[in-house]
Structures are given as structure tokens and as C-alpha cells.
């Protein structure tokens, strides 16, 4: 574990969790689906994959094919979501995610899923990874703007009933980390993509993340 700031622990009233790359390792299927899309459009896959993590598909397409009508991006995004939902091969939990999620649930600590996936895809991937879905979920259907817009995280905080400054975000991608920061939240960056993006704390995975109920009703997060 490396840390952007020397912070042995964080306290919060709620935790907001990205899914892909943070709780669930879905890189294999994401790469399969987006490689097909890149080939179809004659784009360099290595450049495509730099863009797609954290964003909704239509938003990634808008970056990669600037000037294309947005309705075409939305149409292809629907196809992409269907293809990803049908392909769960290689979807596994991020190391430490099962114990981390179990701790949040057991202690009944406020937490929400905030993902760029839609309901069918997020439900399928969490199930494939053996992870329980939080009661509060903000999915693609819930927002009008994709990460890095902060809308999803702000809606997650509001649904849990907490001020953004009282929330900690767990994210892996540049788009997600920027969204959490724009929402005024502290961010725990998870995995290699997050290391250089300026999160409050960086961890390689969730193995060393401890969760406890602090005496004042806050959540205490420890890293080590």
C-alpha cells in the first residue's frame, strides 16, 4: 500500500463505492468488448482503453469520436451494455472486496454503489463476483451526466442523507476520482490506475482496508 498523503485513517459518515476496478475486476470483459468496438471504427485499442474506464459508454464514444451525433453514441452504448451484460467470463472480486463489503453490511454502516453501469450490468457483475448489492445504488439510469461529472456521487450522498464533505469515495479511474473530488469528497484511489491521480489515499486493493464503527457514529477507515 502506498499513500498520496500520510493518512493512517479517515473518518466519514458514509462511503460511496464505484464498482468496476474498485469492487469488481471486470477488465477482461471490458477489454474484449471495447476491442471489438475499436476495430469496428478503425481506432487504436490502446488509446481507446485509456478513455473508457469510469465513464458511461456514450461519454467515452463522444471523446473518441468527436463530432459524431450523440444519438449514435447512445445507440451504440445500448449495444455495448447488452454485450457486457451477456459476458461475465473472468469477472472476479477485487482482492479484499468480499471482506470489506461484509464489514460494511455487518456493521450497518451507510454505503452506496455509484456506478456508470446500468442496473442489469451492475446486478450481473456484482453477482458474478459474489458481492452483495448495497441497498442504495446510483446507476446509469439515475443520472443525466457521466463521470467525471459529480452528479452520481452527489445523488449517492443525498440518498444516504449526508453532506458531501462527510462522505468518502472509493474509485479506480481518472473519471471517477475527478468526479469524487468535484463533489467535494475525499477519495480513496484503488489499484494501479489511481496511483498517479491525486487521491486522498491510495491502496493497491482492498485487502488492507479496515472498517469500524467509531464511537461518534462515524465510520473509521484504516489503511495498512
Amino acid at each position: 500500500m502506498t499513500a498520496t498523503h500520510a493518512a493512517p485513517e479517515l473518518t466519514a459518515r458514509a462511503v460511496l463505492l464505484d464498482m468496476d476496478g474498485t469492487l469488481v475486476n471486470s477488465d477482461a470483459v471490458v477489454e474484449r468488448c471495447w476491442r471489438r468496438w475499436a476495430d469496428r471504427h478503425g481506432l487504436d485499442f490502446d488509446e481507446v482503453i485509456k478513455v473508457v474506464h469510469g465513464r458511461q459508454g456514450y461519454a467515452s464514444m463522444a471523446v473518441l469520436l468527436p463530432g459524431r451525433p450523440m444519438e449514435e453514441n447512445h445507440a451504440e452504448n445500448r449495444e455495448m451494455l447488452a454485450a457486457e451484460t451477456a459476458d461475465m467470463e473472468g469477472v472476479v472480486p477485487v482482492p479484499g472486496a468480499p471482506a470489506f463489503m461484509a464489514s460494511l453490511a455487518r456493521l450497518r454502516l451507510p454505503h452506496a454503489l455509484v456506478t456508470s453501469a446500468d442496473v442489469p450490468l451492475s446486478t450481473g457483475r456484482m453477482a458474478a463476483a459474489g458481492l452483495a448489492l448495497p441497498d442504495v445504488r446510483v446507476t446509469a439510469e439515475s443520472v443525466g451526466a457521466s463521470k467525471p461529472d459529480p452528479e452520481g456521487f452527489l445523488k449517492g450522498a443525498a440518498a444516504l442523507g449526508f453532506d458531501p464533505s462527510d462522505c468518502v469515495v472509493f474509485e479506480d479511474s481518472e473519471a471517477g476520482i475527478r468526479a469524487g473530488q468535484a463533489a467535494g469528497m475525499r477519495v480513496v484511489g484503488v489499484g494501479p490506475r489511481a496511483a498517479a491521480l491525486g487521491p486522498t489515499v491510495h491502496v493497491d486493493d482492498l485487502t488492507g482496508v479496515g472498517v469500524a464503527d467509531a464511537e461518534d457514529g462515524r465510520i473509521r477507515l484504516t489503511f495498512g
Side-chain angles (χ1 to χ4, degrees), residues 161-195:
F162 296 103
D163 188 88
S165 63
D166 286 327
C167 299
V168 168
V169 166
F170 281 72
E171 263 286 1
D172 73 298
S173 69
E174 180 174 9
I177 289 173
R178 299 291 175 250
Q181 292 169 334
M185 302 174 183
R186 291 158 292 161
V187 179
V188 176
V190 181
R193 284 189 290 267

Short mmCIF file of all heavy atoms in Angstrom, two decimals, residues 161-195:
data_model
loop_
_atom_site.label_atom_id
_atom_site.label_comp_id
_atom_site.label_asym_id
_atom_site.label_seq_id
_atom_site.Cartn_x
_atom_site.Cartn_y
_atom_site.Cartn_z
N GLY A 161 -28.46 10.64 2.90
CA GLY A 161 -28.80 11.68 3.86
C GLY A 161 -27.62 12.37 4.49
O GLY A 161 -27.73 12.89 5.61
N PHE A 162 -26.48 12.45 3.77
CA PHE A 162 -25.29 13.06 4.33
C PHE A 162 -24.73 14.14 3.42
O PHE A 162 -24.90 14.11 2.19
CB PHE A 162 -24.21 12.00 4.59
CG PHE A 162 -24.62 10.99 5.62
CD1 PHE A 162 -25.04 9.72 5.25
CD2 PHE A 162 -24.62 11.32 6.96
CE1 PHE A 162 -25.42 8.79 6.19
CE2 PHE A 162 -25.01 10.39 7.93
CZ PHE A 162 -25.41 9.13 7.54
N ASP A 163 -24.04 15.10 4.03
CA ASP A 163 -23.36 16.14 3.29
C ASP A 163 -22.19 15.54 2.52
O ASP A 163 -21.54 14.62 3.01
CB ASP A 163 -22.86 17.21 4.27
CG ASP A 163 -22.32 18.44 3.55
OD1 ASP A 163 -23.10 19.34 3.27
OD2 ASP A 163 -21.10 18.46 3.27
N PRO A 164 -21.91 16.05 1.32
CA PRO A 164 -20.78 15.52 0.56
C PRO A 164 -19.46 15.51 1.33
O PRO A 164 -18.67 14.57 1.20
CB PRO A 164 -20.70 16.46 -0.65
CG PRO A 164 -22.11 16.91 -0.86
CD PRO A 164 -22.68 17.05 0.53
N SER A 165 -19.23 16.52 2.15
CA SER A 165 -17.97 16.58 2.89
C SER A 165 -17.86 15.48 3.94
O SER A 165 -16.76 15.20 4.43
CB SER A 165 -17.82 17.94 3.57
OG SER A 165 -18.85 18.14 4.53
N ASP A 166 -18.97 14.83 4.26
CA ASP A 166 -18.97 13.73 5.23
C ASP A 166 -18.83 12.36 4.57
O ASP A 166 -18.96 11.33 5.24
CB ASP A 166 -20.25 13.75 6.07
CG ASP A 166 -20.25 14.87 7.10
OD1 ASP A 166 -19.17 15.20 7.61
OD2 ASP A 166 -21.33 15.41 7.40
N CYS A 167 -18.61 12.35 3.25
CA CYS A 167 -18.54 11.09 2.50
C CYS A 167 -17.12 10.83 2.00
O CYS A 167 -16.38 11.76 1.67
CB CYS A 167 -19.49 11.13 1.30
SG CYS A 167 -21.23 11.33 1.74
N VAL A 168 -16.77 9.56 1.93
CA VAL A 168 -15.51 9.12 1.31
C VAL A 168 -15.85 8.24 0.12
O VAL A 168 -16.68 7.33 0.22
CB VAL A 168 -14.63 8.35 2.32
CG1 VAL A 168 -13.47 7.65 1.60
CG2 VAL A 168 -14.08 9.30 3.37
N VAL A 169 -15.22 8.54 -1.01
CA VAL A 169 -15.42 7.80 -2.26
C VAL A 169 -14.29 6.79 -2.43
O VAL A 169 -13.12 7.09 -2.15
CB VAL A 169 -15.41 8.79 -3.44
CG1 VAL A 169 -15.26 8.06 -4.78
CG2 VAL A 169 -16.67 9.64 -3.43
N PHE A 170 -14.63 5.60 -2.91
CA PHE A 170 -13.64 4.61 -3.33
C PHE A 170 -13.74 4.50 -4.85
O PHE A 170 -14.80 4.18 -5.39
CB PHE A 170 -13.91 3.24 -2.69
CG PHE A 170 -13.44 3.13 -1.27
CD1 PHE A 170 -14.11 3.80 -0.25
CD2 PHE A 170 -12.34 2.35 -0.94
CE1 PHE A 170 -13.68 3.71 1.07
CE2 PHE A 170 -11.90 2.25 0.37
CZ PHE A 170 -12.57 2.92 1.38
N GLU A 171 -12.64 4.77 -5.55
CA GLU A 171 -12.63 4.84 -7.02
C GLU A 171 -11.30 4.35 -7.58
O GLU A 171 -10.27 4.41 -6.91
CB GLU A 171 -12.85 6.28 -7.49
CG GLU A 171 -14.27 6.62 -7.87
CD GLU A 171 -14.70 6.03 -9.20
OE1 GLU A 171 -13.89 5.31 -9.84
OE2 GLU A 171 -15.83 6.28 -9.60
N ASP A 172 -11.32 3.90 -8.85
CA ASP A 172 -10.10 3.43 -9.50
C ASP A 172 -9.69 4.25 -10.71
O ASP A 172 -8.53 4.22 -11.11
CB ASP A 172 -10.28 1.98 -9.96
CG ASP A 172 -11.19 1.89 -11.18
OD1 ASP A 172 -12.37 2.28 -11.07
OD2 ASP A 172 -10.73 1.44 -12.24
N SER A 173 -10.62 4.98 -11.32
CA SER A 173 -10.36 5.60 -12.61
C SER A 173 -10.18 7.11 -12.49
O SER A 173 -10.62 7.73 -11.51
CB SER A 173 -11.52 5.33 -13.58
OG SER A 173 -12.68 6.03 -13.16
N GLU A 174 -9.58 7.69 -13.51
CA GLU A 174 -9.42 9.14 -13.51
C GLU A 174 -10.77 9.84 -13.51
O GLU A 174 -10.99 10.79 -12.75
CB GLU A 174 -8.60 9.59 -14.73
CG GLU A 174 -8.40 11.10 -14.77
CD GLU A 174 -7.48 11.55 -15.88
OE1 GLU A 174 -7.11 10.73 -16.74
OE2 GLU A 174 -7.11 12.76 -15.88
N ALA A 175 -11.70 9.37 -14.36
CA ALA A 175 -13.02 10.00 -14.41
C ALA A 175 -13.72 9.92 -13.06
O ALA A 175 -14.34 10.89 -12.61
CB ALA A 175 -13.88 9.33 -15.49
N GLY A 176 -13.61 8.78 -12.40
CA GLY A 176 -14.26 8.61 -11.10
C GLY A 176 -13.63 9.44 -10.01
O GLY A 176 -14.32 10.04 -9.17
N ILE A 177 -12.30 9.47 -9.98
CA ILE A 177 -11.61 10.26 -8.97
C ILE A 177 -11.91 11.74 -9.15
O ILE A 177 -12.18 12.47 -8.18
CB ILE A 177 -10.10 9.98 -9.01
CG1 ILE A 177 -9.83 8.56 -8.46
CG2 ILE A 177 -9.33 11.02 -8.21
CD1 ILE A 177 -8.41 8.10 -8.62
N ARG A 178 -11.91 12.21 -10.40
CA ARG A 178 -12.24 13.61 -10.65
C ARG A 178 -13.69 13.91 -10.24
O ARG A 178 -13.98 14.99 -9.71
CB ARG A 178 -12.05 13.95 -12.13
CG ARG A 178 -10.62 13.76 -12.63
CD ARG A 178 -9.67 14.79 -12.04
NE ARG A 178 -8.29 14.53 -12.44
CZ ARG A 178 -7.32 14.10 -11.64
NH1 ARG A 178 -7.58 13.88 -10.35
NH2 ARG A 178 -6.11 13.88 -12.09
N ALA A 179 -14.59 12.97 -10.45
CA ALA A 179 -15.99 13.17 -10.05
C ALA A 179 -16.11 13.28 -8.53
O ALA A 179 -16.83 14.14 -8.02
CB ALA A 179 -16.84 12.01 -10.56
N GLY A 180 -15.42 12.40 -7.81
CA GLY A 180 -15.46 12.47 -6.35
C GLY A 180 -14.89 13.76 -5.83
O GLY A 180 -15.45 14.38 -4.91
N GLN A 181 -13.79 14.18 -6.40
CA GLN A 181 -13.17 15.44 -5.98
C GLN A 181 -14.07 16.63 -6.29
O GLN A 181 -14.21 17.55 -5.48
CB GLN A 181 -11.81 15.60 -6.65
CG GLN A 181 -10.77 14.59 -6.16
CD GLN A 181 -9.50 14.57 -7.00
OE1 GLN A 181 -9.53 14.92 -8.19
NE2 GLN A 181 -8.40 14.16 -6.40
N ALA A 182 -14.70 16.61 -7.47
CA ALA A 182 -15.60 17.70 -7.85
C ALA A 182 -16.82 17.77 -6.94
O ALA A 182 -17.42 18.83 -6.77
CB ALA A 182 -16.04 17.54 -9.30
N ALA A 183 -17.19 16.62 -6.37
CA ALA A 183 -18.31 16.58 -5.43
C ALA A 183 -17.93 17.07 -4.04
O ALA A 183 -18.79 17.16 -3.16
CB ALA A 183 -18.85 15.15 -5.34
N GLY A 184 -16.65 17.38 -3.85
CA GLY A 184 -16.19 17.85 -2.55
C GLY A 184 -15.95 16.74 -1.55
O GLY A 184 -16.02 16.96 -0.33
N MET A 185 -15.64 15.56 -2.05
CA MET A 185 -15.45 14.39 -1.20
C MET A 185 -13.98 13.96 -1.19
O MET A 185 -13.25 14.20 -2.14
CB MET A 185 -16.32 13.24 -1.71
CG MET A 185 -17.80 13.57 -1.75
SD MET A 185 -18.80 12.26 -2.51
CE MET A 185 -20.43 13.04 -2.46
N ARG A 186 -13.59 13.32 -0.11
CA ARG A 186 -12.27 12.68 -0.08
C ARG A 186 -12.34 11.38 -0.86
O ARG A 186 -13.39 10.74 -0.91
CB ARG A 186 -11.87 12.43 1.37
CG ARG A 186 -11.58 13.73 2.16
CD ARG A 186 -11.72 13.51 3.64
NE ARG A 186 -13.10 13.25 3.99
CZ ARG A 186 -13.49 12.67 5.12
NH1 ARG A 186 -12.60 12.27 6.00
NH2 ARG A 186 -14.77 12.48 5.37
N VAL A 187 -11.22 11.00 -1.47
CA VAL A 187 -11.22 9.87 -2.37
C VAL A 187 -10.12 8.87 -2.00
O VAL A 187 -8.96 9.26 -1.85
CB VAL A 187 -11.02 10.32 -3.84
CG1 VAL A 187 -10.99 9.10 -4.77
CG2 VAL A 187 -12.11 11.29 -4.26
N VAL A 188 -10.50 7.62 -1.86
CA VAL A 188 -9.55 6.52 -1.74
C VAL A 188 -9.37 5.94 -3.14
O VAL A 188 -10.32 5.41 -3.72
CB VAL A 188 -10.04 5.44 -0.76
CG1 VAL A 188 -9.05 4.27 -0.73
CG2 VAL A 188 -10.23 6.02 0.64
N GLY A 189 -8.18 6.08 -3.69
CA GLY A 189 -7.89 5.53 -5.00
C GLY A 189 -7.47 4.08 -4.89
O GLY A 189 -6.61 3.74 -4.10
N VAL A 190 -8.10 3.22 -5.69
CA VAL A 190 -7.88 1.78 -5.62
C VAL A 190 -7.22 1.29 -6.90
O VAL A 190 -7.73 1.53 -8.00
CB VAL A 190 -9.21 1.02 -5.39
CG1 VAL A 190 -8.96 -0.48 -5.30
CG2 VAL A 190 -9.92 1.54 -4.14
N GLY A 191 -6.08 0.60 -6.77
CA GLY A 191 -5.47 -0.05 -7.92
C GLY A 191 -4.49 0.84 -8.68
O GLY A 191 -4.32 2.02 -8.39
N PRO A 192 -3.86 0.26 -9.70
CA PRO A 192 -2.76 0.95 -10.39
C PRO A 192 -3.18 2.20 -11.13
O PRO A 192 -2.40 3.15 -11.26
CB PRO A 192 -2.22 -0.12 -11.34
CG PRO A 192 -3.33 -1.10 -11.51
CD PRO A 192 -4.05 -1.12 -10.20
N ARG A 193 -4.41 2.23 -11.68
CA ARG A 193 -4.83 3.41 -12.44
C ARG A 193 -4.92 4.64 -11.54
O ARG A 193 -4.77 5.77 -12.00
CB ARG A 193 -6.17 3.15 -13.12
CG ARG A 193 -6.10 2.27 -14.34
CD ARG A 193 -7.41 2.22 -15.10
NE ARG A 193 -8.45 1.50 -14.41
CZ ARG A 193 -8.72 0.21 -14.58
NH1 ARG A 193 -8.00 -0.50 -15.43
NH2 ARG A 193 -9.69 -0.37 -13.91
N ALA A 194 -5.19 4.42 -10.26
CA ALA A 194 -5.46 5.54 -9.35
C ALA A 194 -4.20 6.17 -8.77
O ALA A 194 -4.25 7.28 -8.24
CB ALA A 194 -6.36 5.06 -8.21
N ALA A 195 -3.09 5.48 -8.85
CA ALA A 195 -1.90 5.87 -8.09
C ALA A 195 -1.43 7.29 -8.38
O ALA A 195 -1.03 8.02 -7.48
CB ALA A 195 -0.77 4.88 -8.34
#
